[in-house]
Amino acid sequence: MPAEIIDGRAVAQRIRDGLPARVAKVEEVLGCPPGLGVMLVGDDAASATYVRMKEKACAKADIYSRQVTLPGDASPEQVFASIEEMNQDPRIHGILVQQPVPSHIDAEAVCSATAPHKDVDGFHPHNLGELLRTGTAPFVACTPRGVIELIDSAGTEIRGARAVVLGRSNIVGKPVALLLLARHATLTVCHSRTRDLPAVCREADILVVAIGRPKMVKGDWIKPGATVIDVGTNRLEDGSLCGDVDFDEAVEVAGKISPSPGGVGPMTIAMLLANTVESAERKAGLA
Ligand code: GUN
């Protein structure tokens, strides 16, 4: 029997449906809605698309958004001055600098420059350190938070499960691993240099894949009945999108699977909106 599909669009919509009422309360107290500052450096087409999607999502939730676009050859001083301006702007409660930034800009320094209390991406060392220390943080990164929400929405028990995270990025793999550990999973983190990856993945009751290679995880890498979360979004030569999991094979083996597109992607945006509203609620004394 094919796997149950975990519908990220539906789960994300439920989360977004809950936001306008919270936005209205914030506006009552602060006199302005929650605000998100989005910064894009350069003209990477995929990044520009993601930024547009985030702005549209803000508009739908009645969240104010302000976009700062800098050219790809902007100096580090220009980038950091713009971040500081958003740090000081009382209408902005969340700041997001779209990654990747051009290579002459220090990406780590960008994460550290965002005020921790506006760090809705959860990339500031304070928030990452809290996540490491306690298993949660004032802001948990949007994609990892979305992954956990999807696993919960599928009714898969994390406690005691064998979880394998394929990928070890600071944006996805490492924070997902920490969140799963905090929920009492037995955890393995693997990556491109792991020996016999298929055998490691086959041990997983919960398999989270964020490796960035189209259709890399095959059906015979998956334990029958496992819950599979595919974080990857890859564009193929024919222009179509696919995940890091070979969906057609995996759906025949897994118990539950999130597709890509239509799985984690919509959750990332929903979590960004939720983090922004929560940040404004804190300022308003509502959270
Ligand atoms: N690029 C890819 N994913 C993300 C994300 O979650 N946040 C930011 N800022 N950039 C990204």
Side-chain angles (χ1 to χ4, degrees):
M1 203 173 60
E4 186 184 310
I5 307 297
I6 306 172
D7 183 348
R9 291 192 184 105
V11 180
Q13 193 56 51
R14 278 203 294 279
I15 291 164
R16 288 167 65 159
D17 286 345
L19 295 177
R22 292 169 59 191
V23 167
K25 280 217 178 85
V26 166
E27 200 160 358
E28 252 175 59
V29 177
L30 295 181
C32 67
L36 177 70
V38 179
M39 187 166 166
L40 177 64
V41 188
D43 52 10
D44 178 71
S47 289
T49 303
Y50 292 138
V51 165
R52 261 198 312 279
M53 286 164 69
K54 287 165 186 175
E55 291 192 318
K56 269 194 191 157
C58 281
K60 273 194 183 161
D62 300 326
I63 295 172
Y64 164 73
S65 73
R66 183 179 146 206
Q67 189 183 333
V68 177
T69 308
L70 295 178
D73 60 358
S75 68
E77 289 74 20
Q78 278 174 297
V79 171
F80 291 110
S82 292
I83 294 173
E84 189 50 30
E85 202 188 303
M86 292 195 281
N87 283 343
Q88 302 296 338
D89 186 339
R91 291 165 306 170
I92 289 181
H93 307 97
I95 298 171
L96 177 145
V97 181
Q98 185 66 31
Q99 304 275 358
V101 289
S103 56
H104 69 283
I105 307 289
D106 179 346
E108 291 302 320
V110 164
C111 296
S112 303
T114 307
H117 68 284
K118 295 189 179 185
D119 172 39
V120 286
D121 248 338
F123 295 164
H124 191 285
H126 284 201
N127 284 313
L128 284 173
E130 272 307 284
L131 182 61
L132 178 70
R133 203 171 67 85
T134 68
T136 187
F139 293 112
V140 173
C142 304
T143 300
R145 236 189 113 184
V147 167
I148 300 296
E149 291 275 345
L150 282 186
I151 296 169
D152 285 340
S153 80
T156 298
E157 173 138 50
I158 297 176
R159 188 186 191 89
R162 278 205 153 244
V164 172
V165 177
L166 178 45
R168 55 176 162 177
S169 70
N170 287 337
I171 290 183
V172 184
K174 283 184 205 167
V176 165
L178 292 171
L179 291 169
L180 288 166
L181 198 56
R183 292 280 298 273
H184 311 291
T186 298
L187 180 74
T188 303
V189 180
C190 47
H191 44 79
S192 56
R193 284 177 227 176
T194 299
R195 245 179 255 141
D196 201 359
L197 260 178
V200 179
C201 292
R202 256 193 310 273
E203 289 184 2
D205 302 311
I206 298 170
L207 178 62
V208 179
V209 185
I211 195 85
R213 292 218 214 141
K215 301 188 186 185
M216 177 169 166
V217 172
K218 302 294 175 192
D220 64 359
W221 293 33
I222 293 166
K223 180 177 180 173
T227 294
V228 178
I229 306 292
D230 187 354
V231 183
T233 306
N234 309 282
R235 194 169 289 281
L236 297 177
E237 275 180 10
D238 66 5
S240 65
L241 293 173
C242 74
D244 294 350
V245 175
D246 188 326
F247 182 84
D248 293 341
E249 288 191 20
V251 75
E252 298 299 332
V253 187
K256 296 168 184 177
I257 184 167
S258 79
S260 177
V264 173
M267 292 300 292
T268 297
I269 294 188
M271 291 301 145
L272 175 67
L273 301 179
N275 276 351
T276 303
V277 172
E278 188 159 348
S279 179
E281 285 174 337
R282 284 182 199 144
K283 189 172 173 198
L286 296 166

